[in-house]
Amino acid sequence: QGFKDNLHAVFCLAENAVGPRATRPDDIHVLYSGKTVEINNTDAEGRLILADGVAYACKDLGADIILDMATLTGAQGIATGKYHAAVLTNNEEWEKACVKAGRNCGDLVHPLVYCPELHFSEFTSAVADMKNSVADRDNTPSSCAGLFIASHIGFDWPGVWVHIDIAAPVHTGERATGYGVALLLSLFGGASEDPLLNLVSPLGCNGDCPPEDMERDSKRRRLV
């Protein structure tokens, strides 16, 4: 799609099967970030490899922008419904951009509360840096799940971190919807040399730019 910046896709995949090395309650894992995690919920397993994925993107790939996307929490469907994915980010501009990109492409997005100073205490552990699941399931669990991932790059990390929970909109009945592909193309389209993606992108040059300006500035545009 004419994307000239340094782009990586990190797939955080694991076999979710019972075996002699399966995670057990009260286990303590040392994650790739170096932080320790006490397991208090073996069903909150996906966030463990997502945390390693963002830590890898930060430490090994030197990413300036990290976007993680996953079917993370059943609570997402309660928080933002079947048609809107939930977005959690440390950057207000990118929060607005995700919402606008969703409207432009049809993969709808709605923000979650980002407030680590109030919500990350849900993961407090007496024996590790954190637990892997919240103490109170009534206290914005989808936001908290995203904060768990963010904590492994650090809440003071200077880059852009975006978390998109797509648990509900990825399927309708027994069928997949393909949610997320159009959203990513729209969101990052401003860094592409594709005129159509430039038009739908909320970042960089957008539909307000004349075509001649779009072509002239395409190689100079950057998302950050």
Side-chain angles (χ1 to χ4, degrees), residues 59-158:
K59 293 165 61 174
D60 292 67
L61 302 179
D64 298 311
I65 304 165
I66 297 175
L67 184 148
D68 70 82
M69 179 181 286
T71 55
L72 195 63
T73 65
Q76 176 273 310
I78 299 171
T80 61
K82 294 181 179 180
Y83 308 110
H84 293 74
V87 61
L88 187 74
T89 175
N90 64 355
N91 186 290
E92 186 176 7
E93 179 185 358
W94 277 72
E95 179 183 281
K96 294 176 181 177
C98 286
V99 172
K100 188 173 181 181
R103 289 174 179 167
N104 288 348
C105 72
D107 282 352
L108 300 173
V109 181
H110 192 79
L112 292 173
V113 175
Y114 177 81
C115 195
E117 63 272 27
L118 293 180
H119 293 148
F120 191 66
S121 58
E122 289 289 342
F123 296 105
T124 299
S125 169
V127 294
D129 291 319
M130 67 194 78
K131 294 182 178 180
N132 76 317
S133 190
V134 294
D136 184 357
R137 289 175 177 270
D138 292 330
N139 190 18
T140 187
S142 292
S143 289
C144 291
L147 294 177
F148 176 91
I149 297 167
S151 70
H152 291 273
I153 55 176
F155 296 120
D156 58 348
W157 184 60

Side-chain angles (χ1 to χ4, degrees), residues 132-194:
N132 76 317
S133 190
V134 294
D136 184 357
R137 289 175 177 270
D138 292 330
N139 190 18
T140 187
S142 292
S143 289
C144 291
L147 294 177
F148 176 91
I149 297 167
S151 70
H152 291 273
I153 55 176
F155 296 120
D156 58 348
W157 184 60
V160 174
W161 169 74
V162 180
H163 164 72
I164 301 180
D165 191 335
I166 60 174
V170 294
H171 65 87
T172 176
E174 298 180 351
R175 301 293 182 182
T177 62
Y179 184 97
V181 177
L183 178 63
L184 292 175
L185 286 171
S186 176
L187 186 60
F188 291 102
S192 168
E193 293 185 347
D194 186 309

Side-chain angles (χ1 to χ4, degrees), residues 15-60:
E15 179 64 61
N16 189 12
V18 176
R21 300 183 64 189
T23 295
R24 297 175 173 87
D26 300 331
D27 280 353
I28 296 178
H29 293 301
V30 181
L31 269 61
Y32 190 62
S33 64
K35 297 181 184 295
T36 54
V37 177
E38 175 191 357
I39 304 301
N40 66 324
N41 183 349
T42 55
D43 192 40
E45 82 289 357
R47 64 194 62 182
L48 300 176
I49 55 171
L50 281 169
D52 278 356
V54 298
Y56 175 79
C58 179
K59 293 165 61 174
D60 292 67

